[in-house]
Amino acid sequence: MSGERRDLGGPVYLRHLHEDDIDPRYVAWFADPEVTRFLDARNITREESIAYLRAGRTSGRYFMHAICRADDERHIGNLKIGPIHPRHRTSDLVTVIGDRASWGRGFAREAIRIGVQIAFGEHNIRKMSASIDSANIASLKAYQAAGFFIEATLQDQFIFYDGTTDKVFVSCFNPDYRT
Ligand SMILES: CC(C)(COP(=O)(O)OP(=O)(O)OC[C@H]1O[C@@H](n2cnc3c(N)ncnc32)[C@H](O)[C@@H]1OP(=O)(O)O)[C@@H](O)C(=O)NCCC(=O)NCCS
């Protein structure tokens, strides 16, 4: 494993995402309808994924991390910090656990906590946010368990099966910026 390992002593750690990580298993995550149900990124090819990783590195606007299990070091998902707004010091944080067998064990919650530490500590981010489909209960729970609060809700923003769902913004402030 290369890339600096970041952890909080819990069941997962983060490291930089590498081009080698983007293998058939990775591509399969983004072709899995269960994984991509609430994602814009779906059916992305290996080439597109590598180009996206490189564009983040070159631009410095976003940073891709691999989420890895502490027990066997397996790469199970990604956490993206960004896009970062350089003037306002805000950033999105996107979490995907592609390995469905690893869902529901608190791995996203732990990864988000580590991601927030990296964003605040290394990228000087003032405020992190994520936008979540209100039907994505697991995501809402994981972000809130990691310290985010519900800041705003846009009603009926998404078409979901026969109905509509809301877009929920969750946020988290860097305490070093607040009085
Ligand atoms: C959303 C996602 C990141 C959650 O990952 P995870 O590792 O399973 O999350 P965690 O285990 O940390 O927390 C999920 C919580 O939701 C609960 N949960 C899971 N599915 C649920 C459901 N359908 N209904 C209610 N609760 C649910 C879990 O029991 C857990 O609750 P707990 O904290 O009380 O134990 C993961 O399912 C995923 O990657 N999904 C696909 C991509 C995606 O939607 N990403 C989010 C984009 S905003």
Side-chain angles (χ1 to χ4, degrees):
M1 182 192 77
S2 57
E4 213 179 314
R5 174 177 169 147
R6 305 289 190 332
D7 69 34
L8 292 169
V12 296
Y13 64 88
L14 300 189
R15 61 165 172 78
H16 297 134
L17 183 70
H18 303 130
E19 293 185 17
D20 290 354
D21 294 317
I22 303 171
D23 57 8
R25 179 196 48 101
Y26 182 105
V27 173
W29 293 345
F30 292 96
D32 180 339
E34 289 289 317
V35 174
T36 59
R37 174 169 294 162
F38 300 108
L39 297 179
D40 290 331
R42 49 180 73 159
N43 296 314
I44 42 176
T45 64
R46 180 168 182 275
E47 291 68 31
E48 287 166 339
S49 301
I50 289 175
Y52 190 75
L53 175 60
R54 286 183 185 163
R57 263 199 314 248
T58 311
S59 67
R61 287 202 69 219
Y62 57 89
F63 298 88
M64 301 295 293
H65 297 272
I67 303 171
C68 301
R69 286 174 64 143
D71 55 359
D72 57 9
E73 308 223 325
R74 220 157 26 95
H75 171 209
I76 55 165
N78 294 339
L79 181 140
K80 178 174 87 171
I81 296 173
I84 292 173
H85 193 297
R87 184 149 62 95
H88 300 301
R89 306 309 312 163
T90 54
S91 176
D92 285 1
L93 186 143
V94 181
T95 315
V96 178
I97 306 284
D99 175 46
R100 281 205 269 129
S102 294
W103 283 8
R105 300 177 181 206
F107 294 162
R109 176 181 61 221
E110 180 74 1
I112 294 164
R113 283 184 182 147
I114 302 167
V116 167
Q117 286 235 329
I118 296 171
F120 288 172
E122 296 175 29
H123 301 298
N124 194 28
I125 298 301
R126 189 178 58 82
K127 178 183 182 183
M128 305 289 299
S129 299
S131 78
I132 304 176
D133 191 309
S134 56
N136 196 349
I137 304 295
S139 184
L140 281 169
K141 280 186 145 185
Y143 276 84
Q144 289 179 93
F148 284 66
F149 66 95
I150 295 179
E151 180 170 22
T153 301
L154 305 189
Q155 290 182 23
D156 298 326
Q157 186 74 10
F158 304 117
I159 293 175
F160 189 70
Y161 295 109
D162 291 337
T164 56
T165 53
D166 301 338
K167 183 173 189 166
V168 180
F169 284 98
V170 294
S171 299
C172 177
F173 282 102
N174 184 341
D176 292 344
Y177 275 90
R178 306 215 92 187
T179 53

